[in-house]
Amino acid sequence: MRELLRGLTVFAGPLAEFDPATAPEDPARLFRDWFAEAVEAGVPEPHAMTVATVNAHGEPSSRVVIMKDFTPEGWWFATTTGSRKGRDLAGNAAVALSFYWGAQGRQVRVGGFAELASPERCAADYLARPLESRVAGLHGRQSEPLAGLADVHRAADESRARLTADPELVPSDWGLYRVAATEVEFWQADRDRRHTRLRYTRPTVEAEWDRGLLWP
């Protein structure tokens, strides 16, 4: 395995360019720029992000989800409130996000706190989803033990029938979360490992941003 790993190419490029001296005061502007560049460059699934949470015992857990929106208030994603991440966030709102756009040699790391949106906004997010996404969200049970795959198909058929009978049906445990950041880091790779790291920080989500460079 060690030889296999050492034989893999990293930062094959062409890598993106980044001059931190031209970065805006607000990391939201820079994130939107980088995200648009990732889309334009054809990066596969640039809206996929890792969401890391911790439970009541301080045990971390991470998973990749799809960013549902990005606004000046933060990054948005959805899940059932009874899922593992939903339970984690109910007990500890601290959360970390990370985006990796390997073709460009870029990462964005976000640290902050997640807040559950209003019931109306949660319902609107659910109803705007494709049918099969709503089917999966309706029967829920995410991360619960599963006896066999047939149970998944059975539950999906039942949920689809319920949604066909009532297209406006919304599960009570559907949650839309907004992550308000207190730290955002933009990481640009360099083939010579002289990576550029620009970090924005603020003590609270209401405060102004400070920024500075980090050693690679």
Side-chain angles (χ1 to χ4, degrees), residues 29-30 44 68 77 99 118 121 123 205 207 215:
R29 286 182 52 199
L30 185 55
K68 288 303 175 183
F77 70 93
F99 295 82
S118 68
R121 192 156 188 173
V205 296
W215 277 84

Side-chain angles (χ1 to χ4, degrees), residues 182-200:
T182 55
E183 177 179 354
V184 186
E185 180 189 329
F186 296 85
W187 187 95
Q188 176 63 64
D190 177 82
R191 287 190 181 83
D192 296 327
R193 306 307 192 265
R194 300 173 186 179
H195 313 308
T196 300
R197 298 175 62 187
L198 177 64
R199 181 178 62 178
Y200 293 78

Side-chain angles (χ1 to χ4, degrees), residues 142-160:
Q142 189 178 97
S143 302
E144 293 182 8
L146 175 67
L149 294 179
D151 292 343
V152 175
H153 301 306
R154 187 179 305 110
D157 291 341
E158 293 172 356
S159 294
R160 191 178 297 106

Side-chain angles (χ1 to χ4, degrees), residues 81-127:
T81 57
S83 66
R84 180 171 180 177
K85 51 186 171 296
R87 296 194 306 271
D88 285 355
L89 293 172
N92 187 340
V95 63
L97 313 175
S98 63
F99 295 82
Y100 178 60
W101 302 318
Q104 297 176 300
R106 283 180 168 175
Q107 297 183 62
V108 180
R109 301 172 61 237
V110 180
F113 300 91
E115 179 180 6
L116 184 63
S118 68
E120 294 78 14
R121 192 156 188 173
C122 291
D125 173 81
Y126 179 82
L127 292 172

